[in-house]
Short mmCIF file of all heavy atoms in Angstrom, two decimals:
data_model
loop_
_atom_site.label_atom_id
_atom_site.label_comp_id
_atom_site.label_asym_id
_atom_site.label_seq_id
_atom_site.Cartn_x
_atom_site.Cartn_y
_atom_site.Cartn_z
N PRO O 166 117.68 -31.67 75.41
CA PRO O 166 118.01 -30.35 75.97
C PRO O 166 116.94 -29.32 75.65
O PRO O 166 116.24 -29.40 74.65
CB PRO O 166 119.26 -29.96 75.23
CG PRO O 166 119.36 -30.91 74.03
CD PRO O 166 118.46 -32.10 74.33
N PRO O 167 116.64 -28.41 76.67
CA PRO O 167 115.53 -27.45 76.46
C PRO O 167 115.55 -26.75 75.14
O PRO O 167 114.41 -26.50 74.58
CB PRO O 167 115.84 -26.43 77.60
CG PRO O 167 116.64 -27.15 78.57
CD PRO O 167 117.42 -28.19 77.88
N GLU O 168 116.72 -26.34 74.60
CA GLU O 168 116.72 -25.65 73.38
C GLU O 168 116.21 -26.48 72.14
O GLU O 168 115.88 -25.93 71.14
CB GLU O 168 118.08 -25.04 73.07
CG GLU O 168 119.19 -26.04 72.89
CD GLU O 168 119.88 -26.47 74.24
OE1 GLU O 168 119.25 -26.16 75.32
OE2 GLU O 168 120.87 -27.19 74.21
N ARG O 169 116.16 -27.81 72.33
CA ARG O 169 115.62 -28.63 71.23
C ARG O 169 114.10 -28.80 71.30
O ARG O 169 113.50 -29.23 70.36
CB ARG O 169 116.30 -30.02 71.30
CG ARG O 169 117.52 -30.16 70.50
CD ARG O 169 117.83 -31.56 70.09
NE ARG O 169 116.68 -32.21 69.42
CZ ARG O 169 116.33 -33.44 69.61
NH1 ARG O 169 116.92 -34.23 70.48
NH2 ARG O 169 115.34 -33.95 68.92
N VAL O 170 113.51 -28.35 72.39
CA VAL O 170 112.01 -28.56 72.53
C VAL O 170 111.30 -27.50 71.78
O VAL O 170 111.36 -26.27 71.99
CB VAL O 170 111.55 -28.50 74.05
CG1 VAL O 170 110.11 -28.72 74.16
CG2 VAL O 170 112.37 -29.58 74.88
N ASP O 171 110.53 -27.96 70.79
CA ASP O 171 109.63 -27.02 70.08
C ASP O 171 108.28 -27.73 69.92
O ASP O 171 108.10 -28.85 70.37
CB ASP O 171 110.23 -26.56 68.74
CG ASP O 171 110.51 -27.73 67.79
OD1 ASP O 171 109.99 -28.89 68.06
OD2 ASP O 171 111.23 -27.51 66.82
N GLU O 172 107.29 -27.03 69.25
CA GLU O 172 105.99 -27.62 69.21
C GLU O 172 105.96 -28.92 68.50
O GLU O 172 105.23 -29.93 68.91
CB GLU O 172 104.99 -26.64 68.53
CG GLU O 172 104.81 -25.39 69.27
CD GLU O 172 103.83 -24.41 68.73
OE1 GLU O 172 103.03 -24.78 67.81
OE2 GLU O 172 103.69 -23.30 69.24
N GLN O 173 106.78 -29.04 67.43
CA GLN O 173 106.78 -30.25 66.70
C GLN O 173 107.37 -31.46 67.46
O GLN O 173 106.75 -32.57 67.56
CB GLN O 173 107.58 -30.06 65.44
CG GLN O 173 107.24 -30.95 64.30
CD GLN O 173 108.20 -30.85 63.10
OE1 GLN O 173 108.95 -29.81 63.02
NE2 GLN O 173 108.19 -31.73 62.24
N LEU O 174 108.42 -31.20 68.20
CA LEU O 174 109.00 -32.29 69.01
C LEU O 174 108.09 -32.73 70.10
O LEU O 174 107.80 -33.81 70.41
CB LEU O 174 110.35 -31.80 69.58
CG LEU O 174 111.05 -32.93 70.35
CD1 LEU O 174 111.59 -34.02 69.43
CD2 LEU O 174 112.18 -32.32 71.21
N PHE O 175 107.47 -31.65 70.76
CA PHE O 175 106.61 -31.92 71.87
C PHE O 175 105.42 -32.79 71.41
O PHE O 175 105.04 -33.77 72.01
CB PHE O 175 106.07 -30.67 72.55
CG PHE O 175 105.32 -30.85 73.81
CD1 PHE O 175 106.03 -31.17 74.93
CD2 PHE O 175 103.99 -30.78 73.86
CE1 PHE O 175 105.40 -31.43 76.11
CE2 PHE O 175 103.26 -31.04 74.99
CZ PHE O 175 103.98 -31.32 76.21
N SER O 176 104.81 -32.40 70.22
CA SER O 176 103.71 -33.17 69.67
C SER O 176 104.05 -34.60 69.45
O SER O 176 103.21 -35.55 69.61
CB SER O 176 103.21 -32.54 68.39
OG SER O 176 102.77 -31.25 68.55
N SER O 177 105.35 -34.89 69.11
CA SER O 177 105.74 -36.27 68.79
C SER O 177 105.81 -37.10 70.04
O SER O 177 105.98 -38.27 69.95
CB SER O 177 107.06 -36.27 68.03
OG SER O 177 108.13 -35.97 68.91
#
Side-chain angles (χ1 to χ4, degrees):
E168 60 278 9
R169 268 202 58 219
V170 180
D171 58 15
E172 293 185 10
Q173 204 184 345
L174 183 73
F175 190 75
S176 296
S177 74

